[in-house]
């Protein structure tokens, strides 16, 4: 709810009250016309013409986005005292503390020097993608003395040819699954290319450990199955997923890479993906720089890593893997010709870096969903292990197709935001309304994160930085409200006795739904004139305006000197129906699913007063990939649609992150919870990210499996996000983690994930990256996996843990 403000113009000009009124009525008129147009559009019958609504990254239209924006939660106005040594704004700060107080939100985005986006990636494995058929075996290479790998493929059920008699199914344990049986007859042999060579060693397929879920993020067909746990393996695995065939190799004496050939029994080419890693498991890191205003992408190895040959890039497409240096087009199996999204430029790669170029997605390949919106390349290299043996490594570099369009559009503008107006509201808080973001709708930006450093300044003196603010704001109302306590506190601490004025020292807008990419920033510090002058503002009397000014100039209270919650969070909005009987208020425990889910794996019957979250914007929810902010807003809308006044979150995987994001950035039913002690509880949540969200999820999305890459869940994305979450909010979280047993003779939750993750892990989340600094570790359980269709049981089905979660839930 927008509050009545004492209106004051920026710079040295006074308000024109009449002009403000006209502008307001003009805006209201435009808004009314927009709403009327939407109603008419919804009521009118569909015409024979082709629809013209713009499609967005998640497949929704402008009309749907506008409808969803009506349910925008009221944002929290997160404030953090400026600490001496902070780099953003550079105009004075407190010097009282030795270290940053992590109780408050941090604004890492203020440190961005320009609009370039830099991502950190790493890998300890190699990826090979291609096809396999009769007469055209699939080949890849391995390195080092020993190692392991997984072959992922999707064979057609029960392939039958004359070559079946030579199949490797003699190693089979006979699990009885049609798709697993199909794999055993589809792959006829796995051998080193030169098996007579004594230096080649031995390679052994583990046919008794076939995995029905090569892509860990793909959705199982039946939630009742516990996957390939041998005590519970009678259920057929989901035939929609790639199967995984693990293998091991040992005794390789050659110092060079060793080629491996996979022979298949299919007449038609079948997609095949291989992940392989040597037993030394050296991790190779790199930075990926996406330059604003340019289609160039620079990949540079870090940590002194160096390939023994030039880095080379391969694009990933269905039924083909193409060397990007060959042609400019690939055949699109969906029809038409599409340009590769990432292709090599600047003469190819060197042993330490490579330049790629982004291209817009062609009209034939217009993205309808998130998984269709990502173009990826495999950066192949060869390094040497501690014995001097060659080892293959692969980095997966991805870029959204819309990045190029957004980058160019931003560069065509002035990339600047400005201070539109400043006012004192009825609480004597200062409202800063920003401008210059009016065209963001054209870039499909509907919510922005605004970070600003606010200071105070006396005439003729240097400004003092007093508070770093951050808030999630709608693109059409980017108004930041700064609690008056910050100004009263700063005036007291810094002995300010002059007629000061507020000043915005720095401000930057980023997109929380697209990797927090740069949208614009304030060109220079901008002062406002609100404490002096005779302008009455928005129909305020002179006495009322002076009264509000006097409150801002008053001495701070003790709790303001100590920084109270109103200063760090903003003022809590009053209930939409404060008069209603407390007994009539609905309080619920909300069970929230994770990435690519439709309903959480938690059995509802394990909990009391619980409700399963489902996508409120769909009558038939589908597995989806949402940003942290979009997920949080959907939880908010779900609670409003179900008239939930107070709530607690019980989140699985990404659901825990979404719950914490909601608590940090928006006023919601979490702020009305009463009984209980644990507001947010999570199981298997990657608070510090998982590499699978940026590698396996991206590759799976390209092959139509799962929901595609999710930057917010990658290690780099989660680290960036977590820096902006206060320890105050983290302290509300109780998290549980699980994993497979570790050791030489133990079996991982999923072989394909085990090649990429560090032990212990649950098939998706490493224990170390499931830790939430500042949160409450509620315990770790061995022998449980992240979800269904993994080697051990689903972590969400633990009755004893769920009982503990249920009894402690605050809601």
């Amino acid at each position: 709810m927008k509050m009545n403000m004492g209106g004051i113009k920026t710079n040295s000009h006074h308000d024109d009250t009449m002009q403000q009124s006209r502008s307001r009525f003009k805006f209201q008129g435009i808004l009314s016309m927009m709403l009327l147009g939407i109603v008419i559009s919804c009521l009118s019958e569909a015409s024979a013409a082709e629809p013209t609504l713009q499609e967005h990254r998640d497949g929704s239209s402008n009309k749907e986005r506008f409808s969803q924006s009506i349910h925008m939660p009221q944002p929290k106005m997160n404030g953090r005292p400026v600490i001496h040594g902070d780099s953003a704004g550079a105009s004075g700060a407190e010097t009282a503390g030795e270290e940053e107080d992590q109780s408050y939100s941090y604004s890492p985005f203020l440190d961005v020097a320009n609009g370039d986006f830099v991502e950190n990636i790493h890998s300890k494995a190699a990826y090979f993608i291609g096809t396999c058929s009769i007469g055209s075996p699939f080949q890849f290479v391995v390195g080092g003395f020993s190692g392991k790998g997984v072959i992922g493929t999707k064979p057609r059920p029960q392939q039958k040819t004359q070559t079946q008699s030579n199949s490797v199914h003699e190693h089979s344990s006979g699990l009885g699954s049609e798709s697993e049986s199909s794999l055993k007859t589809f792959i006829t042999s796995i051998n080193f290319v030169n098996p007579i060579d004594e230096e080649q060693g031995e390679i052994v397929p583990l046919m008794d450990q076939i995995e029905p879920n090569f892509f860990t993020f793909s959705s199982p067909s039946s939630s009742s199955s516990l996957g390939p746990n041998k005590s519970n393996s009678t259920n057929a695995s989901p035939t929609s997923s790639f199967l995984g065939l693990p293998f091991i190799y040992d005794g390789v004496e050659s110092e060079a890479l060793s080629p491996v050939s996979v022979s298949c029994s299919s007449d038609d080419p079948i997609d095949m993906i291989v992940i392989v890693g040597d037993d030394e498991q050296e991790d190779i890191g790199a930075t990926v720089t996406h330059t604003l205003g340019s289609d160039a992408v620079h990949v540079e190895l870090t940590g002194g890593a160096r390939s023994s040959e030039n880095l080379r890039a391969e694009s990933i497409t269905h039924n083909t893997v193409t060397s990007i240096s060959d042609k400019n087009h690939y055949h699109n199996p969906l029809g038409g010709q599409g340009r590769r999204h990432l292709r090599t430029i600047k003469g190819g790669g060197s042993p330490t870096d490579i330049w790629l170029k982004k291209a817009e997605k062609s009209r034939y390949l217009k993205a309808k969903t998130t998984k269709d919106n990502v173009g990826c390349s495999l950066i192949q290299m060869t390094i040497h292990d501690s014995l001097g043996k060659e080892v293959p490594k692969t980095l997966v570099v991805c870029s959204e197709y819309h990045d190029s369009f957004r980058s160019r559009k931003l560069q065509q503008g002035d990339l600047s935001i400005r201070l539109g107006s400043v006012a004192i509201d009825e609480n004597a808080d200062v409202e800063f309304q920003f401008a210059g973001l009016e065209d963001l709708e054209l870039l499909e930006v509907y919510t922005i994160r605004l970070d600003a450093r606010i200071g105070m300044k006396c005439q003729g003196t240097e400004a003092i930085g007093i508070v770093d603010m951050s808030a999630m704001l709608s693109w059409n109302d980017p108004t930041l409200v700064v609690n008056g306590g910050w100004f009263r506190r700063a005036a007291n601490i810094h002995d300010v006795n002059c007629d000061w004025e507020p000043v915005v020292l720095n401000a930057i807008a980023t997109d929380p739904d697209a990797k927090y990419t740069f949208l614009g920033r304030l060109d220079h510090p901008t002062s406002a004139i609100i404490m002096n002058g005779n302008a009455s503002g928005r129909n305020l009397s002179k006495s009322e305006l002076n009264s509000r000014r006097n409150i801002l100039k008053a001495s701070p209270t003790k709790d303001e000197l100590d920084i109270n919650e109103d200063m760090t969070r903003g003022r809590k909005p009053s209930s939409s129906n404060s008069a209603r009987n407390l007994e009539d208020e609905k309080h619920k425990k909300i069970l929230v699913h994770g990435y690519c889910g439709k309903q959480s794996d938690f059995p509802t019957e394990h909990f009391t007063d619980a409700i399963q979250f489902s996508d409120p914007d769909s009558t038939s929810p589908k597995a989806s990939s949402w940003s942290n902010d979009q997920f949080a807003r959907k939880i908010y809308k779900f609670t409003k649609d179900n008239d939930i006044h107070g709530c607690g979150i019980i989140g699985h995987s990404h659901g825990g992150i979404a719950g914490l994001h909601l608590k940090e950035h928006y006023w919601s039913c979490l702020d009305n919870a009463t009984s209980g002690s644990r507001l947010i509880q999570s199981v298997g949540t990657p608070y510090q990210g998982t590499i699978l969200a940026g590698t396996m999820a991206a590759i799976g999305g390209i092959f139509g499996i799962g929901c595609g890459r999710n930057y917010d869940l990658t290690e780099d994305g989660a680290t960036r996000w977590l820096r902006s979450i206060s320890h105050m909010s983290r302290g509300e979280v109780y998290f549980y983690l699980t994993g497979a047993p570790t050791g030489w003779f133990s079996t991982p939750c999923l072989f394909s994930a085990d090649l990429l993750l560090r032990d212990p892990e649950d098939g998706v989340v490493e224990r170390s990256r499931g830790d939430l600094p500042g949160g409450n570790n509620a315990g770790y359980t061995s022998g449980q996996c992240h979800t269904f269709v993994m080697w051990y049981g689903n972590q969400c089905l633990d009755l004893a843990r769920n009982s503990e979660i249920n009894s402690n839930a605050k809601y």
Side-chain angles (χ1 to χ4, degrees), residues 217-219 593-598 622-625 654 706-708:
F217 283 119
S218 60
S219 300
H593 63 68
Y595 161 91
C596 206
K598 292 184 289 186
K622 299 178 180 179
S624 301
S625 175
H654 195 191
C707 297

Side-chain angles (χ1 to χ4, degrees), residues 121 126-129 139-142 257 276 299-301 306-316 321-326 340 342-345 347-356 376-383 390-397:
I121 61 174
Y127 301 79
F128 304 95
I129 302 177
Q139 293 193 353
F140 61 95
V141 294
V142 300
L257 297 176
V276 62
V299 182
E300 185 173 19
L301 302 185
R306 183 182 180 89
S307 175
S308 61
E309 56 186 19
N310 290 342
L311 304 183
R312 65 187 189 281
E314 296 174 348
S315 63
I316 309 171
V321 124
T322 309
S323 174
I324 298 182
S325 59
D326 292 345
R340 282 185 209 79
L342 293 171
R343 57 187 177 86
T344 307
I345 58 173
S350 75
T352 58
D353 74 331
I354 189 171
W355 285 87
L356 306 174
C376 298
S377 289
L378 304 181
I379 307 301
Q380 305 286 14
M381 70 193 76
T382 303
I383 65 168
E390 290 186 337
V391 176
K393 298 287 181 179
T394 307
L395 293 168
V396 180
V397 176

Side-chain angles (χ1 to χ4, degrees), residues 438-455:
E438 295 81 4
D439 294 333
L440 289 182
E441 185 182 18
L442 300 176
L443 298 177
E444 305 176 20
V445 177
Y446 296 86
T447 303
I448 66 168
R449 175 180 170 123
L450 186 66
D451 292 85
R453 172 159 295 181
I454 307 299

Side-chain angles (χ1 to χ4, degrees), residues 625-656:
S625 175
W626 301 319
S627 71
N628 294 343
D629 194 65
Q630 187 180 12
F631 203 162
R633 298 196 309 268
K634 283 181 177 288
I635 295 175
Y636 170 83
K637 186 175 183 225
F638 174 83
T639 64
K640 298 306 261 185
D641 290 349
N642 288 276
D643 196 30
I644 298 173
H645 177 72
C647 70
I649 296 291
I650 299 172
H652 179 227
S653 195
H654 195 191

Side-chain angles (χ1 to χ4, degrees), residues 479-789:
T479 300
L480 199 63
V481 182
V482 181
N483 188 282
W486 288 111
F487 297 99
R488 291 187 287 273
R489 179 177 181 271
N492 178 278
I493 290 176
H494 296 287
D495 295 322
V496 177
N497 297 311
C498 65
D499 289 332
W500 57 267
E501 294 287 0
V503 57
V504 181
L505 297 169
N506 194 3
I508 185 169
T510 53
D511 184 356
D513 287 334
K515 304 183 296 189
Y516 291 94
T517 48
F518 176 87
L519 296 173
R521 76 179 319 143
L522 194 70
D523 281 341
H524 53 77
T526 305
S527 296
I529 308 298
I530 65 169
M531 302 301 290
N532 300 281
N534 297 318
S536 61
R538 301 183 176 181
N539 299 320
L540 291 179
S541 66
K542 185 175 180 180
S543 61
E544 174 64 20
L545 181 58
N546 286 332
S547 173
R548 297 183 182 189
R549 288 170 171 172
N550 289 335
I551 295 175
L552 270 177
K553 292 179 180 179
S555 298
T557 62
K558 183 180 184 304
D559 68 322
E560 287 177 338
L561 285 173
D562 295 335
I563 307 179
N564 61 36
E565 188 172 358
D566 283 349
M567 296 164 67
T568 60
R569 292 299 194 212
R571 298 186 189 274
K572 183 178 180 179
S574 58
S575 173
S576 58
N577 186 7
S578 58
R580 66 181 178 180
N581 193 319
L582 292 179
E583 295 180 357
D584 296 333
E585 293 177 344
K586 186 189 294 185
H587 289 249
K588 288 289 185 180
K589 303 164 188 171
I590 305 177
L591 308 178
V592 185
H593 63 68
Y595 161 91
C596 206
K598 292 184 289 186
Q599 178 176 298
S600 83
D601 292 347
F602 293 115
T604 309
E605 60 270 20
H606 286 190
F607 305 89
T608 57
D609 291 331
I611 183 172
Q612 287 277 2
F613 165 82
S614 62
D615 184 359
D617 296 314
S618 174
T619 56
S620 180
K622 299 178 180 179
S624 301
S625 175
W626 301 319
S627 71
N628 294 343
D629 194 65
Q630 187 180 12
F631 203 162
R633 298 196 309 268
K634 283 181 177 288
I635 295 175
Y636 170 83
K637 186 175 183 225
F638 174 83
T639 64
K640 298 306 261 185
D641 290 349
N642 288 276
D643 196 30
I644 298 173
H645 177 72
C647 70
I649 296 291
I650 299 172
H652 179 227
S653 195
H654 195 191
I657 291 175
L660 177 53
H661 187 95
L662 180 65
K663 174 62 178 174
E664 174 72 15
H665 292 293
Y666 299 105
W667 294 105
S668 70
C669 57
L670 288 170
D671 299 292
N672 299 323
T674 53
S675 61
S677 58
R678 299 181 179 183
L679 185 65
I680 301 172
Q681 300 180 85
S682 67
V683 178
T685 294
Y687 289 105
Q688 297 184 56
T690 170
I691 190 174
L692 302 186
T695 54
M696 290 294 283
I699 296 173
I702 291 171
F703 283 86
I705 304 295
C707 297
R709 183 176 188 255
N710 188 310
Y711 173 76
D712 282 3
L713 292 178
T714 66
E715 295 173 350
D716 190 71
T719 299
R720 180 175 296 203
W721 167 80
L722 195 57
R723 289 180 66 200
S724 70
I725 303 298
S726 68
H727 277 234
M728 186 184 306
S729 293
R730 299 185 198 187
E732 299 278 11
V733 177
Y734 289 77
F735 61 93
Y736 297 84
L737 296 167
T738 74
T742 57
W744 281 105
F745 300 103
S746 62
T747 303
C749 286
L750 206 63
F751 276 95
S752 55
D754 186 60
L755 287 166
L756 309 176
L757 300 172
R758 291 179 288 269
D759 290 336
E761 42 86 7
D762 67 3
V764 173
V765 181
E766 297 170 354
R767 183 177 182 179
S768 61
R769 289 200 163 270
D771 179 67
L772 175 63
N776 303 279
N777 190 333
Y780 176 84
T781 303
S782 180
Q784 293 179 1
C785 295
H786 194 80
T787 186
F788 299 104
V789 200

Side-chain angles (χ1 to χ4, degrees), residues 112-186:
V112 175
N114 53 49
D116 293 352
F117 178 79
V118 180
E119 182 179 1
N120 295 288
I121 61 174
H122 69 93
S123 175
K124 61 177 184 177
Y127 301 79
F128 304 95
I129 302 177
T131 61
C132 188
S133 62
I134 295 176
S136 297
F138 176 72
Q139 293 193 353
F140 61 95
V141 294
V142 300
F145 182 79
S146 60
K148 56 188 176 182
V150 180
I151 301 171
T153 190
K154 186 179 178 181
R156 295 185 177 91
Q158 298 300 325
Q159 297 280 347
K160 294 182 179 181
T161 70
Q162 69 277 11
T163 59
Q164 284 187 8
S165 58
N166 298 323
S167 170
V168 293
H169 75 283
E170 62 192 48
H171 297 280
S172 171
S173 62
L175 296 180
S177 165
E178 179 182 349
S179 55
E180 291 173 1
S181 175
S182 176
L183 178 64
K184 295 165 189 174
T185 58
F186 168 65

